[in-house]
Amino acid sequence: MLTDILNEPQKLEIEDKTYLFEFDHLALAALEKKINKSVFLIYDTLSCGGSLTIDDSLSLLTTGMLKHHSEKEIEVLKNRIKEYPGFFNIIKDSLFSAFIMPMMPPEILREYSFKKKDQII
């Protein structure tokens, strides 16, 4: 069975806790439903250096954690960000990378794939 090797979860360790962010089809559909916007609008915003609203950022966080975390774990992290908004800066790179990578055009992914293999050898 073929798998998309570039749609791997982004792993982030903070204070002895491991967070995994991954955007599969379920996560993308949940995101669109939650924010009532196209995921391509979010993609365009992030890839052009724009910023998201706090609500959109928290929705991105929530849906990106769906596959690997329980509702309780997601709620704990969301509450931590609400109490200390600067905490989001620690996780945003991993979260945004997990979101953008599977949505990149195939031409760019092929180029990235070759570079990745060259670096390993």
Side-chain angles (χ1 to χ4, degrees):
M1 182 166 140
L2 295 175
T3 59
D4 182 359
I5 60 170
L6 294 176
N7 192 15
E8 298 173 353
Q10 290 289 321
K11 183 178 179 181
L12 179 65
E13 293 186 26
I14 304 170
E15 300 171 354
D16 298 326
K17 176 70 178 155
T18 301
Y19 297 100
L20 297 171
F21 306 112
E22 185 173 357
F23 287 90
D24 56 7
H25 293 293
L26 176 64
L28 293 173
L31 179 62
E32 280 191 342
K33 186 175 181 179
K34 195 172 192 91
I35 64 174
N36 202 26
K37 297 177 190 172
S38 168
V39 293
F40 295 106
L41 179 63
I42 301 297
Y43 173 81
D44 285 344
T45 301
L46 292 176
S47 61
C48 293
S51 59
L52 302 178
T53 65
I54 293 170
D55 288 337
D56 287 352
S57 296
L58 289 175
S59 294
L60 193 70
L61 174 76
T62 300
T63 55
M65 293 177 71
L66 283 175
K67 187 171 181 178
H68 300 283
H69 296 278
S70 68
E71 287 183 33
K72 183 179 179 183
E73 290 175 310
I74 294 170
E75 198 60 35
V76 166
L77 188 57
K78 276 178 52 177
N79 287 337
R80 179 132 188 226
I81 291 168
K82 286 178 183 178
E83 291 172 13
Y84 177 62
F87 189 74
F88 186 75
N89 289 328
I90 297 170
I91 63 172
K92 74 177 182 180
D93 289 342
S94 294
L95 178 63
F96 293 169
S97 177
F99 175 76
I100 289 174
M101 183 62 79
M103 296 184 67
M104 292 179 94
E107 299 81 23
I108 294 174
L109 289 178
R110 274 190 231 106
E111 185 178 319
Y112 173 78
S113 175
F114 294 133
K115 287 182 181 178
K116 188 175 179 183
K117 288 178 185 175
D118 291 342
Q119 291 173 352
I120 293 172
I121 294 176

